[in-house]
Amino acid sequence: MADEINDRIEELLNTPCWIIDILPRRVPEDKAKEYAELEKVFLYTENLKRKFYNALMKLRCYFDFKIVMPECDATVYKLWGLVGHKNLQIIVGEALLVLDPDDMYMSLYNPSDDMLELVKSIAATEGMCVWKS
């Protein structure tokens, strides 16, 4: 079973990726310093963690979640303690959400058109944007 899930994740990581972010698009390379300063302000904050957590909980109302974490028993009830602290891979229907505690964004791979529209709406309610990687 674990091999099947790992194979599925590898497959999904090679599909189109959408970014769920506090910024509306990729920051230009010549603004790397400004981005680094923004990271210092937002990255490890309760505010960013709350945005991600709220978006995940809202999305969960529409799609089944499978949190993939081999090192611990991860359930949606433990999600608050994991967001912003652990690398998370969450299979959402036929898509994959990836959260890295060192990133100010979430990555969404292989969303259906319907899921993408819903994710955009949910992200907007949390003051976030969705853009194609």
Side-chain angles (χ1 to χ4, degrees):
M1 180 78 166
D3 287 339
E4 284 179 34
I5 292 172
N6 289 334
D7 290 346
R8 181 68 181 139
I9 288 171
E10 284 301 317
E11 193 177 297
L12 288 167
L13 288 172
N14 290 308
T15 64
C17 179
W18 294 83
I19 303 298
I20 304 164
D21 198 349
I22 60 171
L23 297 171
R25 64 181 183 206
R26 184 179 306 277
V27 172
E29 287 184 29
D30 65 334
K31 292 294 186 180
K33 179 183 173 194
E34 288 80 0
Y35 185 79
E37 290 170 352
L38 182 68
E39 271 189 329
K40 289 178 186 173
V41 173
F42 282 103
L43 186 56
Y44 300 110
T45 64
E46 195 79 8
N47 186 25
L48 185 61
K49 177 181 176 176
R50 173 68 57 194
K51 286 176 184 286
F52 287 170
Y53 177 78
N54 288 349
L56 291 171
M57 292 305 288
K58 290 173 184 179
L59 188 60
R60 186 175 160 261
C61 291
Y62 299 94
F63 297 96
D64 292 332
F65 268 27
K66 168 123 181 80
I67 302 169
V68 181
M69 291 188 67
E71 69 273 7
C72 71
D73 177 30
T75 65
V76 73
Y77 304 105
K78 295 179 182 176
L79 198 54
W80 174 252
L82 299 173
V83 171
H85 300 286
K86 295 277 188 185
N87 284 312
L88 293 174
Q89 295 176 325
I90 304 171
I91 296 175
V92 185
E94 295 298 315
L96 175 69
L97 258 170
V98 176
L99 290 84
D100 183 323
D102 294 327
D103 291 334
M104 289 195 306
Y105 58 87
M106 297 185 281
S107 302
L108 176 63
Y109 296 87
N110 197 46
S112 66
D113 292 342
D114 181 55
M115 179 186 287
L116 183 58
E117 287 308 308
L118 187 58
V119 167
K120 287 178 179 180
S121 296
I122 289 171
T125 68
E126 294 300 328
M128 294 187 297
C129 306
V130 179
W131 47 273
K132 192 162 186 178
S133 172

